Amino acid sequence: ILLKWSQTFNERLKDGFSGFPHVNTPVPALLKVRIVSMPCWELFDEQDQEYQDTVLCSNYRQVLRIYVEKAATKNTGHDKYAHMSVLMPSYGLSGKAADVEKKLEFTPEYIAAKV
């Protein structure tokens, strides 16, 4: 299931780069994606370092860790776990979720281009 999802995501990610002329780097043929949900940083920090490194792939230099958060507009400490972050630029708009996300450039396509 994850492999199929990864392939589908990879195709959508490639599509996300179209329309952004400033992107000069070609998209790799296949991106390996690992999603980690961390609802409680305090509990994660209580785990031993070996476990944390396994979850975050910290021992692999070629792995880029990106934190994507819709519920934050500024760095709230997640830089401890990721190399870069993509955060919601602001709040206060109302409307359909898809329209607001597009206006705030927080769609998968925009996020892919930022990365």
Side-chain angles (χ1 to χ4, degrees), residues 3-4 7 25-26 35 47 51 53 59 64 68 86 100 114:
L3 180 58
K4 177 66 177 163
Q7 291 169 339
T25 308
I35 298 172
Q47 307 306 309
Y51 173 80
D53 291 342
N59 297 325
L64 176 64
V68 178
V86 179
V100 171
K114 290 175 184 178

Side-chain angles (χ1 to χ4, degrees), residues 45-62:
D45 287 342
E46 290 177 7
Q47 307 306 309
D48 63 67
Q49 190 63 46
E50 182 180 353
Y51 173 80
Q52 292 180 28
D53 291 342
T54 301
V55 170
L56 298 175
C57 298
S58 300
N59 297 325
Y60 299 95
R61 292 183 182 262
Q62 71 273 23

Side-chain angles (χ1 to χ4, degrees), residues 34 36 63-69 81-86 111 114-115:
R34 180 177 191 184
V36 175
V63 173
L64 176 64
R65 292 188 310 268
I66 304 162
Y67 184 87
V68 178
E69 179 61 66
Y81 309 104
H83 297 113
M84 69 175 292
S85 59
V86 179
I111 292 170
K114 290 175 184 178
V115 173

Side-chain angles (χ1 to χ4, degrees), residues 68-85:
V68 178
E69 179 61 66
K70 189 184 271 189
T73 58
K74 63 179 182 175
N75 188 330
T76 56
H78 45 266
D79 56 333
K80 175 180 177 181
Y81 309 104
H83 297 113
M84 69 175 292
S85 59

